[in-house]
Structure formats: structure tokens, C-alpha cells
Amino acid sequence: VCGIDLGGDEGASNDSTGCEAEQRLIETAIEAYFAENSVDAESYADLVPDYIQEDPSERFELVIGGDGIPVPVGINECDGYGG
């Protein structure tokens, strides 16, 4: 099995620990993608399933910053995390 398991619905709790952990996992996947490909991921499609097992877009939007680096920004139950 490839990629980091975000834990399904149980790992996507709206408590600070669940959202912070998921944010860190996404950031790690972004870094791993860059390390392996020498380019930044442009969407979750670049990361799923090799770097993370599921698309976290219900809780985190992937935003490309002005510097071109992708950043997970919390939405819905993880609003206020990342960015």
C-alpha cells in the first residue's frame, strides 16, 4: 500500500489534534512529492495515492502560494488550520 493513511473519518475529527495531524501529513506528502519529482504538486491528484491514500479536499484546500509552493488550508471542520 502506498501513501500516508489519513485515517478516514476517524482521523478527520474537528478537534485540534486531528486537524493538526492531518495538516502535517499533507505537508509531509507535499515535501516528499517535491523530493522525488523536483517540482511542486499542483493538486491533490498529484499526491493521491502515492503520497497520501485519500483526497483530503473535504477538510483541506490545496492553495498554491505566491512563491509557487502548495499549502494545505483548512476548510469545513478543519477551518483555521494551515495556510
Side-chain angles (χ1 to χ4, degrees):
V1 176
C2 295
I4 298 169
D5 184 1
L6 296 177
D9 292 334
E10 295 153 14
S13 68
N14 62 354
D15 64 36
S16 62
T17 304
C19 289
E20 287 175 17
E22 188 167 5
Q23 175 191 341
R24 288 188 196 116
L25 288 172
I26 296 167
E27 290 169 345
T28 300
I30 291 168
E31 291 172 7
Y33 182 89
F34 181 82
E36 190 169 300
N37 298 287
S38 299
V39 295
D40 287 307
E42 295 181 4
S43 70
Y44 286 128
D46 292 335
L47 302 175
V48 177
D50 294 331
Y51 300 92
I52 51 178
Q53 291 182 358
E54 62 185 56
D55 184 337
S57 60
E58 290 183 20
R59 295 169 301 281
F60 284 90
E61 180 179 17
L62 191 61
V63 176
I64 307 301
D67 55 4
I69 298 173
V71 178
V73 177
I75 57 173
N76 299 323
E77 67 257 30
C78 289
D79 189 31
Y81 290 91

Coordinates of all heavy atoms in Angstrom, one line a residue:
V1 N 0.9 -1.2 0.0 CA 0.0 0.0 0.0 C 0.9 1.2 0.0 O 1.8 1.3 0.8 CB -0.9 0.0 1.2 CG1 -1.7 1.3 1.3 CG2 -1.8 -1.2 1.2
C2 N 0.6 2.2 -0.9 CA 1.4 3.4 -1.0 C 0.7 4.5 -0.3 O -0.5 4.5 0.0 CB 1.6 3.8 -2.4 SG 2.5 2.6 -3.4
G3 N 1.5 5.5 0.0 CA 0.9 6.8 0.6 C 0.6 6.7 2.1 O 0.6 5.7 2.7
I4 N 0.4 7.9 2.6 CA 0.1 8.0 4.1 C -1.4 7.9 4.2 O -2.2 8.5 3.6 CB 0.6 9.4 4.6 CG1 2.1 9.6 4.4 CG2 0.1 9.6 6.0 CD1 2.6 11.0 4.6
D5 N -1.8 7.1 5.2 CA -3.2 6.9 5.5 C -3.7 8.0 6.4 O -3.1 8.2 7.5 CB -3.4 5.5 6.2 CG -4.8 5.2 6.5 OD1 -5.7 6.0 6.2 OD2 -5.1 4.2 7.1
L6 N -4.6 8.8 6.0 CA -5.1 9.9 6.8 C -6.1 9.5 7.8 O -6.6 10.3 8.6 CB -5.8 11.0 5.9 CG -4.8 11.7 4.9 CD1 -5.6 12.6 4.0 CD2 -3.7 12.4 5.6
G7 N -6.5 8.2 7.9 CA -7.3 7.7 8.9 C -8.8 7.7 8.7 O -9.6 7.5 9.6
G8 N -9.2 8.0 7.5 CA -10.6 8.0 7.2 C -11.4 9.0 8.0 O -10.8 10.0 8.5
D9 N -12.6 8.8 8.3 CA -13.5 9.7 9.1 C -13.0 9.9 10.5 O -13.1 10.9 11.1 CB -14.9 9.3 9.1 CG -15.5 9.4 7.7 OD1 -15.0 10.3 6.9 OD2 -16.5 8.7 7.4
E10 N -12.4 8.8 11.1 CA -11.9 8.9 12.4 C -10.7 9.8 12.5 O -10.6 10.5 13.5 CB -11.5 7.5 12.9 CG -12.7 6.5 13.0 CD -12.3 5.1 12.8 OE1 -11.1 4.8 12.9 OE2 -13.2 4.3 12.6
G11 N -9.9 9.9 11.5 CA -8.7 10.7 11.6 C -9.0 12.2 11.2 O -8.2 13.1 11.3
A12 N -10.2 12.4 10.7 CA -10.6 13.7 10.3 C -11.5 14.4 11.3 O -12.4 15.1 10.9 CB -11.4 13.6 8.9
S13 N -11.2 14.2 12.5 CA -12.0 14.8 13.6 C -11.8 16.3 13.5 O -10.8 16.8 13.1 CB -11.7 14.3 14.9 OG -10.4 14.6 15.3
N14 N -12.7 17.1 14.1 CA -12.6 18.5 14.1 C -11.9 19.0 15.3 O -11.8 20.2 15.5 CB -13.9 19.2 13.9 CG -14.9 18.9 15.1 OD1 -14.6 18.1 16.0 ND2 -16.0 19.5 15.1
D15 N -11.3 18.1 16.1 CA -10.5 18.6 17.3 C -9.2 19.0 16.7 O -8.7 18.7 15.6 CB -10.4 17.6 18.4 CG -9.6 16.3 17.9 OD1 -8.7 16.4 17.2 OD2 -10.0 15.2 18.4
S16 N -8.5 19.8 17.5 CA -7.2 20.4 17.1 C -6.2 19.3 16.8 O -5.4 19.4 15.8 CB -6.6 21.4 18.1 OG -6.4 20.7 19.3
T17 N -6.1 18.2 17.5 CA -5.2 17.2 17.3 C -5.4 16.5 15.9 O -4.4 16.3 15.1 CB -5.3 16.1 18.4 OG1 -5.1 16.7 19.6 CG2 -4.2 15.0 18.2
G18 N -6.6 16.2 15.5 CA -6.9 15.6 14.3 C -6.6 16.5 13.1 O -6.0 16.0 12.1
C19 N -7.0 17.7 13.1 CA -6.7 18.6 12.0 C -5.3 19.0 11.9 O -4.7 19.0 10.8 CB -7.6 19.9 12.2 SG -9.3 19.6 11.9
E20 N -4.6 19.2 13.0 CA -3.2 19.5 13.0 C -2.4 18.3 12.5 O -1.5 18.5 11.7 CB -2.7 19.8 14.4 CG -3.1 21.2 14.9 CD -2.7 21.5 16.3 OE1 -1.8 20.8 16.8 OE2 -3.3 22.4 16.9
A21 N -2.7 17.1 12.9 CA -2.0 15.9 12.4 C -2.3 15.7 10.9 O -1.3 15.4 10.2 CB -2.5 14.7 13.2
E22 N -3.5 15.9 10.5 CA -3.8 15.8 9.0 C -3.0 16.8 8.2 O -2.4 16.5 7.2 CB -5.3 15.9 8.8 CG -5.6 15.5 7.3 CD -7.1 15.3 7.1 OE1 -7.9 15.5 8.0 OE2 -7.4 15.0 6.0
Q23 N -3.0 18.0 8.7 CA -2.2 19.1 8.1 C -0.8 18.7 7.9 O -0.2 18.9 6.8 CB -2.4 20.4 8.8 CG -1.5 21.5 8.3 CD -1.5 22.7 9.2 OE1 -2.3 22.9 10.1 NE2 -0.5 23.6 9.0
R24 N -0.2 18.2 9.0 CA 1.2 17.8 8.9 C 1.5 16.7 7.9 O 2.5 16.7 7.2 CB 1.7 17.4 10.3 CG 1.9 18.6 11.2 CD 2.6 18.3 12.5 NE 2.4 19.4 13.5 CZ 1.7 19.3 14.6 NH1 1.2 18.1 15.0 NH2 1.5 20.3 15.4
L25 N 0.5 15.7 7.9 CA 0.7 14.6 6.9 C 0.6 15.1 5.5 O 1.4 14.7 4.6 CB -0.4 13.6 7.2 CG -0.3 12.8 8.4 CD1 -1.6 11.9 8.6 CD2 0.9 11.9 8.3
I26 N -0.3 16.1 5.2 CA -0.4 16.6 3.9 C 0.9 17.4 3.6 O 1.5 17.3 2.4 CB -1.6 17.6 3.8 CG1 -2.9 16.8 3.9 CG2 -1.6 18.3 2.4 CD1 -4.1 17.6 4.2
E27 N 1.4 18.2 4.5 CA 2.7 18.9 4.3 C 3.8 18.0 4.0 O 4.7 18.2 3.1 CB 3.0 19.8 5.5 CG 2.0 21.0 5.6 CD 2.2 21.7 6.9 OE1 2.8 21.2 7.9 OE2 1.6 22.8 7.0
T28 N 3.9 16.9 4.7 CA 4.9 15.9 4.5 C 4.8 15.2 3.1 O 5.8 15.0 2.4 CB 4.9 14.8 5.6 OG1 5.0 15.4 6.9 CG2 5.9 13.7 5.4
A29 N 3.6 15.0 2.7 CA 3.3 14.4 1.4 C 3.8 15.4 0.3 O 4.4 15.0 -0.7 CB 1.9 14.0 1.2
I30 N 3.5 16.7 0.5 CA 3.9 17.7 -0.5 C 5.5 17.7 -0.6 O 6.0 17.8 -1.6 CB 3.4 19.1 0.0 CG1 1.9 19.1 -0.2 CG2 4.1 20.2 -0.8 CD1 1.2 20.3 0.4
E31 N 6.1 17.7 0.6 CA 7.6 17.7 0.6 C 8.2 16.4 -0.1 O 9.2 16.5 -0.8 CB 8.1 17.8 2.0 CG 7.8 19.2 2.6 CD 8.1 19.2 4.1 OE1 8.7 18.3 4.7 OE2 7.8 20.3 4.7
A32 N 7.6 15.3 0.2 CA 8.0 14.0 -0.4 C 7.9 14.1 -1.9 O 8.7 13.6 -2.7 CB 7.3 12.8 0.2
Y33 N 6.7 14.6 -2.4 CA 6.5 14.7 -3.8 C 7.6 15.6 -4.4 O 8.2 15.2 -5.5 CB 5.1 15.4 -4.1 CG 4.8 15.5 -5.5 CD1 4.1 14.4 -6.2 CD2 5.1 16.6 -6.2 CE1 3.9 14.5 -7.5 CE2 4.8 16.7 -7.6 CZ 4.2 15.7 -8.2 OH 3.9 15.8 -9.6
F34 N 7.9 16.7 -3.8 CA 9.0 17.6 -4.3 C 10.3 16.9 -4.3 O 11.1 17.0 -5.3 CB 9.0 18.9 -3.5 CG 10.1 19.8 -4.1 CD1 9.8 20.6 -5.2 CD2 11.4 19.9 -3.5 CE1 10.8 21.5 -5.7 CE2 12.3 20.7 -4.0 CZ 12.0 21.5 -5.1
A35 N 10.6 16.2 -3.3 CA 11.9 15.5 -3.2 C 12.1 14.4 -4.3 O 13.2 14.3 -4.8 CB 12.0 14.8 -1.8
E36 N 11.0 13.8 -4.6 CA 11.1 12.7 -5.6 C 11.0 13.3 -7.0 O 11.5 12.7 -8.0 CB 9.9 11.7 -5.4 CG 10.1 10.5 -6.2 CD 9.1 9.4 -5.8 OE1 9.2 8.9 -4.6 OE2 8.3 9.0 -6.6
N37 N 10.2 14.4 -7.2 CA 10.0 14.8 -8.6 C 10.6 16.1 -9.0 O 10.5 16.6 -10.1 CB 8.4 15.0 -8.8 CG 7.7 13.7 -8.6 OD1 7.8 12.8 -9.5 ND2 7.1 13.5 -7.5
S38 N 11.2 16.8 -8.0 CA 11.9 18.1 -8.3 C 11.0 19.2 -8.8 O 11.4 20.2 -9.4 CB 13.1 18.0 -9.2 OG 14.0 17.1 -8.7
V39 N 9.7 19.0 -8.6 CA 8.6 20.0 -8.9 C 7.6 20.0 -7.8 O 7.4 18.9 -7.1 CB 8.0 19.9 -10.3 CG1 9.0 20.0 -11.4 CG2 7.3 18.5 -10.4
D40 N 6.9 21.1 -7.6 CA 5.8 21.1 -6.6 C 4.6 20.4 -7.1 O 4.2 20.5 -8.3 CB 5.5 22.5 -6.1 CG 6.6 23.1 -5.3 OD1 7.0 22.4 -4.3 OD2 7.1 24.2 -5.6
A41 N 3.8 19.8 -6.2 CA 2.5 19.3 -6.5 C 1.6 20.4 -6.9 O 1.7 21.5 -6.2 CB 1.9 18.5 -5.3
E42 N 0.7 20.3 -7.8 CA -0.2 21.3 -8.2 C -1.6 21.1 -7.7 O -2.5 22.0 -7.7 CB -0.2 21.5 -9.7 CG 1.1 22.0 -10.2 CD 1.1 22.2 -11.7 OE1 0.1 22.0 -12.4 OE2 2.2 22.5 -12.3
S43 N -1.9 19.8 -7.3 CA -3.2 19.4 -6.8 C -3.1 18.1 -6.0 O -2.1 17.5 -6.0 CB -4.2 19.3 -8.0 OG -3.9 18.1 -8.7
Y44 N -4.2 17.8 -5.4 CA -4.2 16.5 -4.7 C -4.1 15.3 -5.6 O -3.6 14.3 -5.2 CB -5.5 16.4 -3.8 CG -5.4 17.2 -2.6 CD1 -6.4 18.1 -2.3 CD2 -4.3 17.2 -1.7 CE1 -6.4 18.9 -1.1 CE2 -4.3 18.0 -0.6 CZ -5.3 18.8 -0.3 OH -5.3 19.6 0.8
A45 N -4.5 15.5 -6.9 CA -4.3 14.4 -7.9 C -2.8 14.0 -8.0 O -2.5 12.9 -8.3 CB -4.9 14.9 -9.2
D46 N -1.9 15.0 -7.8 CA -0.5 14.7 -7.8 C -0.1 13.8 -6.6 O 0.9 13.1 -6.7 CB 0.3 15.9 -7.8 CG 0.2 16.7 -9.1 OD1 -0.1 16.1 -10.2 OD2 0.4 18.0 -9.1
L47 N -0.8 13.9 -5.5 CA -0.4 13.3 -4.3 C -1.1 11.9 -4.0 O -0.5 11.1 -3.3 CB -0.6 14.2 -3.1 CG 0.1 15.6 -3.2 CD1 -0.4 16.4 -2.0 CD2 1.6 15.4 -3.2
V48 N -2.3 11.8 -4.5 CA -3.1 10.6 -4.3 C -2.9 9.6 -5.4 O -3.0 10.0 -6.6 CB -4.6 11.0 -4.1 CG1 -5.5 9.7 -3.9 CG2 -4.8 11.9 -3.0
P49 N -2.6 8.4 -5.2 CA -2.5 7.6 -3.9 C -1.1 7.4 -3.5 O -0.8 6.7 -2.5 CB -3.1 6.3 -4.3 CG -2.7 6.0 -5.7 CD -2.7 7.4 -6.3
D50 N -0.1 7.9 -4.2 CA 1.3 7.6 -3.9 C 1.9 8.2 -2.7 O 2.8 7.7 -2.1 CB 2.2 7.9 -5.1 CG 1.9 7.0 -6.3 OD1 1.5 5.9 -6.1 OD2 2.1 7.5 -7.5
Y51 N 1.4 9.4 -2.4 CA 1.9 10.1 -1.2 C 0.9 10.2 -0.1 O 1.3 10.3 1.1 CB 2.4 11.5 -1.7 CG 3.4 11.4 -2.7 CD1 3.1 11.4 -4.1 CD2 4.8 11.3 -2.4 CE1 4.1 11.3 -5.0 CE2 5.8 11.2 -3.3 CZ 5.4 11.2 -4.7 OH 6.4 11.0 -5.6
I52 N -0.3 10.3 -0.4 CA -1.4 10.1 0.6 C -2.5 9.2 0.0 O -2.7 9.2 -1.2 CB -2.0 11.5 1.1 CG1 -2.5 12.4 -0.1 CG2 -1.1 12.3 2.0 CD1 -3.1 13.7 0.2
Q53 N -3.1 8.4 0.8 CA -4.0 7.4 0.3 C -5.4 8.0 -0.1 O -6.0 7.4 -0.9 CB -4.2 6.3 1.3 CG -3.0 5.5 1.5 CD -3.2 4.4 2.5 OE1 -4.2 4.2 3.1 NE2 -2.1 3.6 2.7
E54 N -5.8 9.1 0.5 CA -7.1 9.6 0.1 C -7.1 11.1 -0.1 O -6.2 11.8 0.4 CB -8.1 9.3 1.2 CG -7.8 9.9 2.6 CD -8.7 9.6 3.7 OE1 -8.8 8.4 4.0 OE2 -9.2 10.5 4.3
D55 N -8.0 11.6 -0.8 CA -8.1 13.0 -1.1 C -8.7 13.8 0.1 O -9.8 13.5 0.5 CB -9.0 13.2 -2.4 CG -9.1 14.6 -2.8 OD1 -8.9 15.6 -2.0 OD2 -9.4 14.9 -4.0
P56 N -7.9 14.7 0.7 CA -8.4 15.4 1.9 C -9.1 16.7 1.6 O -9.3 17.5 2.4 CB -7.1 15.6 2.6 CG -6.1 15.9 1.6 CD -6.5 14.9 0.5
S57 N -9.6 16.8 0.4 CA -10.2 18.1 -0.1 C -11.5 18.5 0.7 O -11.9 19.7 0.6 CB -10.4 18.1 -1.6 OG -11.3 17.1 -2.0
E58 N -12.1 17.6 1.4 CA -13.3 18.0 2.2 C -12.9 18.7 3.4 O -13.7 19.4 4.0 CB -14.1 16.7 2.6 CG -14.8 16.1 1.4 CD -15.6 14.9 1.8 OE1 -16.0 14.8 3.0 OE2 -15.9 14.1 0.9
R59 N -11.6 18.6 3.8 CA -11.1 19.3 5.1 C -10.0 20.3 4.8 O -9.8 21.2 5.6 CB -10.7 18.2 6.1 CG -11.8 17.3 6.5 CD -11.3 16.1 7.3 NE -10.4 15.3 6.6 CZ -10.8 14.4 5.7 NH1 -12.0 14.2 5.3 NH2 -9.9 13.6 5.1
F60 N -9.3 20.1 3.7 CA -8.1 21.0 3.4 C -8.1 21.3 1.9 O -8.1 20.4 1.1 CB -6.8 20.3 3.8 CG -6.5 20.3 5.2 CD1 -6.9 19.3 6.0 CD2 -5.9 21.4 5.8 CE1 -6.7 19.3 7.4 CE2 -5.6 21.5 7.2 CZ -6.1 20.4 8.0
E61 N -8.1 22.6 1.6 CA -7.9 23.0 0.2 C -6.4 23.1 0.0 O -5.7 23.6 0.8 CB -8.6 24.4 0.1 CG -8.5 25.0 -1.3 CD -9.2 26.3 -1.4 OE1 -9.5 26.9 -0.3 OE2 -9.5 26.8 -2.5
L62 N -6.0 22.8 -1.2 CA -4.6 22.9 -1.6 C -4.4 24.2 -2.3 O -4.9 24.4 -3.4 CB -4.1 21.7 -2.4 CG -2.6 21.6 -2.6 CD1 -1.9 21.5 -1.3 CD2 -2.3 20.5 -3.5
V63 N -3.7 25.2 -1.7 CA -3.6 26.5 -2.3 C -2.1 26.7 -2.7 O -1.2 26.4 -1.9 CB -4.0 27.6 -1.2 CG1 -3.7 29.0 -1.8 CG2 -5.4 27.4 -0.8
I64 N -1.9 27.2 -3.9 CA -0.6 27.5 -4.4 C -0.3 28.9 -4.0 O -0.9 29.9 -4.4 CB -0.5 27.3 -5.9 CG1 -1.0 25.9 -6.4 CG2 0.9 27.5 -6.4 CD1 -0.3 24.7 -5.8
G65 N 0.7 29.1 -3.2 CA 1.1 30.4 -2.7 C 1.8 31.2 -3.7 O 2.1 30.7 -4.8
G66 N 2.0 32.5 -3.5 CA 2.7 33.4 -4.4 C 4.1 32.9 -4.8 O 4.6 33.3 -5.8
D67 N 4.7 32.1 -3.9 CA 6.0 31.6 -4.2 C 6.0 30.3 -5.0 O 7.0 29.7 -5.2 CB 6.8 31.4 -2.9 CG 6.0 30.5 -1.9 OD1 4.9 30.0 -2.2 OD2 6.5 30.4 -0.7
G68 N 4.7 29.9 -5.3 CA 4.5 28.7 -6.1 C 4.5 27.4 -5.3 O 4.4 26.3 -5.8
I69 N 4.6 27.5 -3.9 CA 4.7 26.3 -3.1 C 3.2 26.0 -2.6 O 2.5 26.9 -2.1 CB 5.6 26.6 -1.9 CG1 7.0 26.8 -2.4 CG2 5.5 25.4 -0.9 CD1 8.0 27.2 -1.3
P70 N 2.8 24.8 -2.8 CA 1.4 24.4 -2.3 C 1.4 24.3 -0.8 O 2.3 23.9 -0.1 CB 1.2 23.0 -3.0 CG 2.6 22.5 -3.2 CD 3.5 23.7 -3.4
V71 N 0.2 24.8 -0.3 CA 0.0 24.8 1.2 C -1.4 24.3 1.5 O -2.4 24.8 0.8 CB 0.1 26.3 1.7 CG1 -0.2 26.4 3.2 CG2 1.5 26.9 1.3
P72 N -1.6 23.4 2.4 CA -2.9 23.0 2.8 C -3.6 24.0 3.7 O -3.0 24.5 4.7 CB -2.7 21.6 3.6 CG -1.3 21.8 4.1 CD -0.5 22.6 3.1
V73 N -4.8 24.4 3.3 CA -5.5 25.4 4.1 C -6.9 24.7 4.6 O -7.6 24.3 3.7 CB -5.8 26.7 3.3 CG1 -6.7 27.6 4.1 CG2 -4.5 27.3 2.8
G74 N -7.1 24.7 5.9 CA -8.3 24.1 6.4 C -9.6 24.7 6.0 O -9.7 25.9 5.9
I75 N -10.5 23.8 5.7 CA -11.9 24.3 5.4 C -12.8 23.3 6.2 O -12.4 22.3 6.7 CB -12.2 24.2 3.9 CG1 -12.0 22.8 3.3 CG2 -11.4 25.3 3.1 CD1 -12.4 22.6 1.9
N76 N -14.1 23.7 6.2 CA -15.1 22.9 6.9 C -14.7 22.6 8.3 O -14.4 23.5 9.0 CB -15.5 21.6 6.1 CG -16.0 22.0 4.7 OD1 -16.8 22.9 4.6 ND2 -15.7 21.2 3.7
E77 N -14.6 21.3 8.7 CA -14.3 21.1 10.1 C -12.9 21.4 10.5 O -12.5 21.4 11.7 CB -14.6 19.6 10.5 CG -13.8 18.6 9.8 CD -14.5 17.9 8.6 OE1 -15.3 18.5 8.0 OE2 -14.1 16.7 8.4
C78 N -12.0 21.6 9.5 CA -10.6 22.0 9.8 C -10.3 23.5 9.5 O -9.2 23.9 9.3 CB -9.6 21.1 9.1 SG -9.6 19.4 9.8
D79 N -11.4 24.3 9.4 CA -11.3 25.7 9.1 C -10.3 26.3 10.1 O -10.5 26.1 11.3 CB -12.6 26.4 9.1 CG -12.6 27.8 8.6 OD1 -11.7 28.1 7.8 OD2 -13.4 28.6 9.1
G80 N -9.4 27.1 9.7 CA -8.5 27.8 10.6 C -7.1 27.2 10.7 O -6.2 27.7 11.3
Y81 N -7.0 26.0 10.1 CA -5.7 25.3 10.2 C -5.0 25.5 8.8 O -5.6 25.6 7.8 CB -5.9 23.8 10.4 CG -6.4 23.6 11.8 CD1 -7.7 23.5 12.1 CD2 -5.5 23.4 12.9 CE1 -8.2 23.3 13.4 CE2 -5.9 23.2 14.1 CZ -7.3 23.2 14.4 OH -7.7 23.0 15.7
G82 N -3.7 25.5 8.9 CA -2.8 25.6 7.7 C -2.8 27.1 7.2 O -3.2 28.0 7.8
G83 N -2.2 27.2 6.0 CA -2.2 28.4 5.3 C -1.0 29.3 5.6 O -0.1 29.2 6.3

